Amino acid sequence: MILTIHRGSKQIGGSCVELRSASGDRILLDVGMPLTQPDGSDWPRGTMSRPGEELRREGVLPDIDGLYAGSSPEISALVLSHAHLDHYGLAHYVHPDIPVYGSRGTIEMLRASKLFVPDAAVPADLRELPNAGTVPIGSFSVRGIPVDHAAPDSRALLVEADGQRLLYSGDLRAHGRQRHLFDELPYAAGAIDVLVLEGTTVGQAQGSHGFADEGEVESRLTELLRHDRGLVVVIASGQNIDRAISVYRAALAAGRELVIDPYQAYALMTLRDVCPEAPQFDWPSVRVKFIPYHVAKLKDAGFWELACKMSRAGKVSLEQLAANPSGFVYLARSSGATVKLLRSLARTTRPTIVWSQWSGYLKKGGPVPSFCDENGIEPYIIHSGGHAHPEDLADLARRLHARAVVPIHTEAASQFADFIQNVRVVNDGEAVEVASLIAGYNGEAS
Ligand SMILES: [Zn+2]
């Protein structure tokens, strides 16, 4: 097998990995949107719906022959590790004849975003990566192994060809609600030759990814919800299902009701089989605050009956929130719709804002941070990140006994070797034989 990291060897986000077998078959693992432009600024709105030829010329789309619409397809398949934009965000540019695989949860999240998010697009030929067993793709066999991460139903991807086995970690951590998956990964993967390992937290200040684990997030939220006397608004990613569970559990413990919007209610509903703990709109103490745009989207997609069901199960009005603010916790995203609601409530109640995602996004600004600034509100930051701490990465690498470890999704590839053995740094665009990566392997040092 030949490994090429098209993007991600020296940056966080925008990952794209290609594997080529001896018979010439090629597959891709992830085609992510970089988190920012090369100068660090945000992408202009609408970038992800611009013509593919332009984006390829500008280097936004990786320069890969035979991948995109408009050329003849030469890639056997794209396999997605999880539903974060920095891993799947450019997948809709892939040639419509190239199948795109993802776990059930990944596919549901892509479809939910297409329903509610303006300009969101999904690949033409989406296929489900089975929960167990391998998928044959040309001369490769591919298996998705469940991992603990901040996106639901995330996978590490184990690829075999030419008698070699490569494990791509995707994004993972050891401190979420599914920590056991981290412990089980070496048993699920078996012997591997090359580990392509994410290293988001490597080289970053301790604590920059929030509290130690999701359990601590839940207990901090519970404490706050018990003592605060007003409406508490928790701002988190709509895909962070662990966080939705934590907020719900904290609400129950504090005697409050969880309020979600129809987008969140819909996303959680599509995941009920994959994440049985994910709170559902028809569960006790779950209410839905209707947002006209979301309701219109449900109606357009033929889900009017579902909207009626959400309404019957627990619609909550602005007046009800205003009359009893301490009876609720509102889980939402940093959007214009959230700010509109906060403004409507401002006449009667001063909300407490909890920022429950990466603190870097708070500094960058956006609708809710601006609202906080305008109103002199200092948000609480209660968060735990989606990426393994360096000591957990070291532990995983040790237990996997990989013959070569290749850093990805990191700004500190050169620091991997400080705490992991057999590290081989590969540059973006460099095609390397797996055989040469493992050639220098002399077993494990003591
Ligand atoms: Zn991720």
Side-chain angles (χ1 to χ4, degrees), residues 82 84 86-87 149 171 387:
H82 65 287
H84 279 157
D86 63 327
H87 290 258
H149 183 47
D171 285 351
H387 303 277

Side-chain angles (χ1 to χ4, degrees), residues 231 233 337-346 349 351 353 368 371:
L231 177 70
V233 178
T338 303
V339 169
K340 197 171 168 205
L341 178 79
L342 291 171
R343 286 198 207 290
S344 313
L345 288 166
T349 179
I353 310 283
V368 169
F371 174 84

Side-chain angles (χ1 to χ4, degrees), residues 186-255:
Y187 305 104
I192 56 170
D193 296 301
V194 173
L195 169 64
V196 181
L197 180 63
E198 76 118 315
T200 314
T201 63
V202 178
Q204 298 195 344
Q206 221 175 5
S208 58
H209 289 262
F211 292 122
D213 60 27
E214 194 63 30
E216 193 173 350
V217 168
E218 184 184 324
S219 59
R220 299 268 178 162
L221 282 170
T222 304
E223 205 178 313
L224 178 69
L225 294 181
R226 280 190 175 138
H227 293 105
D228 193 275
R229 293 173 183 278
L231 177 70
V232 176
V233 178
V234 179
I235 302 298
S237 155
Q239 293 168 331
N240 192 340
I241 306 306
D242 269 20
R243 195 57 41 82
I245 296 168
S246 296
V247 178
Y248 179 55
R249 289 169 59 106
L252 292 180

